[in-house]
Amino acid sequence: MEYRQLRYFIAVAEELNFSRAAVRLNVSQPPLSVQIKSLEKELGVSLFVRNRRSVALTAAGKLLLEHARKAVGEVKLGVDVVRRAARGEGGAIRIGFVDSVPMLEVFSGLLGGFSSYYPDVRLEMRHMSTGTQLEALSHDRLDVGFLRPISSFKPWSSLQTDTIWRDQLMLFVPRTHPLGRNASAVEVAELAGCDFVGVAEGMGCGVRNHVNTLCQKAGFMPHMVQEARELRTVLSLVSAGVGISILPCCYASAGATNVVCRPLATQGADSRVLLATRARDSSVPLRNFVDYARTISA
């Protein structure tokens, strides 16, 4: 059974006239009749009762008409979806992001703005560490990632990256901590001997690696007294007085009680959010997303 045969059958069934159906389909009547007879032969049933004056559907024809309309409709829908996806107007984009990215107002603006331009593109959001995103990108389990890698990060040849946003790492301390008594900038070297809280080692957290690098350059390694899986939890531990932490400045607006944040005077405390994709990914929806992200971040 061919798609063309179903289209021809639907036209005849709706017009109940072979001549009008042929005009509607923009074909001559003989090929139309041949296709209907071929369809009836394949099914082993008569679909129409024909005489010189009229054409009527048989019971089998009425039953087939219902299903033929659904089948043709699904094919048309599939063709439309594919064509829209080819134009970048449909499909899905798998987006990874680290814990701090949703804290950035520009991120929600990016998602909302893109969806307003391309409402039929589905955005599948996935909270992942930087390391997990890099692995997922390399294995085609993710289309685009928003990462916070360490400053020395170098993408491999098959990875395309753009520095999409920049901010600063800051010191977060409990309000009662001695370092929380004024607002002046703090040298990382002053933090030697302090109790730190941070993301657990092995979670692939770029911020954890960045903090370790800053402390190592200052001549010490942070004394971690408590670890967590996410930066939001780390901030809660600071609020509870467990220790101090170095986090992206966007967490200053998280509304945590009992927390004071201070700038770092140390060079290298600037942090960047990278947008990463596979270099040879030719997906039109993804290309539109990346172009839009670059535009609003310029």
Side-chain angles (χ1 to χ4, degrees):
M1 187 182 302
E2 299 177 3
Y3 174 71
R4 178 178 60 174
Q5 289 176 322
L6 290 180
R7 287 182 56 243
Y8 285 9
F9 165 71
I10 291 171
V12 175
E14 291 178 347
E15 298 291 344
L16 293 178
N17 183 288
F18 277 78
S19 297
R20 289 197 301 270
V23 171
R24 169 175 159 180
L25 294 166
N26 197 28
V27 299
S28 59
Q29 186 172 333
L32 173 60
S33 298
V34 169
Q35 289 298 324
I36 296 300
K37 288 179 181 177
S38 175
L39 180 59
E40 289 178 322
K41 182 178 180 181
E42 180 180 347
L43 295 175
V45 296
S46 294
L47 300 173
F48 298 99
V49 178
R50 308 169 180 83
N51 58 45
R52 292 182 178 180
R53 295 184 176 180
S54 65
V55 175
L57 282 166
T58 64
K62 292 177 181 178
L63 185 61
L64 178 62
L65 179 60
E66 177 184 351
H67 293 281
R69 283 170 171 161
K70 291 180 181 178
V72 169
E74 285 297 318
V75 171
K76 288 180 177 178
L77 178 61
V79 170
D80 181 58
V81 167
V82 169
R83 286 175 175 168
R84 281 169 38 234
R87 296 193 301 266
E89 299 171 1
I93 303 174
R94 299 166 297 179
I95 301 172
F97 58 92
V98 294
D99 192 42
S100 59
V101 166
M103 304 287 294
L104 301 171
E105 187 176 342
V106 68
F107 183 64
S108 60
L110 164 61
L111 300 182
F114 180 81
S115 293
S116 68
Y117 280 108
Y118 301 97
D120 294 323
V121 177
R122 188 171 70 258
L123 303 181
E124 299 178 357
M125 310 304 298
R126 302 177 183 184
H127 178 200
M128 296 177 169
S129 69
T130 290
T132 305
Q133 287 186 63
L134 291 172
E135 181 183 6
L137 283 164
S138 66
H139 290 89
D140 195 19
R141 297 195 300 268
L142 198 66
D143 299 313
V144 59
F146 289 88
L147 327 170
R148 270 194 193 271
I150 59 175
S151 56
S152 61
F153 170 75
K154 301 294 183 185
W156 51 89
S157 59
S158 62
L159 192 70
Q160 173 70 45
T161 62
D162 291 275
T163 299
I164 203 78
W165 303 305
R166 291 184 182 274
D167 57 11
Q168 294 288 313
L169 296 182
M170 297 184 71
L171 175 66
F172 289 74
V173 300
R175 188 172 299 278
T176 55
H177 195 280
L179 289 172
R181 291 173 184 168
N182 63 67
S184 60
V186 180
E187 293 283 351
V188 172
E190 297 179 52
L191 308 180
C194 292
D195 290 339
F196 276 74
V197 292
V199 173
E201 198 75 67
M203 293 300 296
C205 177
V207 172
R208 165 73 183 246
N209 293 336
H210 198 160
V211 171
N212 285 348
T213 300
L214 289 176
C215 292
Q216 192 171 23
K217 287 181 179 179
F220 71 99
M221 288 301 292
H223 176 232
M224 288 289 174
V225 296
Q226 184 67 53
E227 296 180 332
R229 295 179 61 86
E230 299 177 356
L231 293 178
R232 289 176 183 269
T233 307
V234 171
L235 184 62
S236 297
L237 292 171
V238 174
S239 178
V242 176
I244 69 171
S245 191
I246 295 176
L247 301 170
C249 62
C250 56
Y251 284 92
S253 61
T257 58
N258 193 40
V259 174
V260 175
C261 59
R262 292 180 61 184
L264 294 173
T266 306
Q267 197 173 33
D270 56 310
S271 181
R272 56 183 177 151
V273 175
L274 297 188
L275 183 152
T277 60
R278 287 179 298 280
R280 288 182 288 275
D281 197 321
S282 60
S283 164
V284 178
L286 176 59
R287 190 163 64 244
N288 289 343
F289 181 84
V290 172
D291 288 346
Y292 183 74
R294 288 171 177 160
T295 298
I296 71 167
S297 301

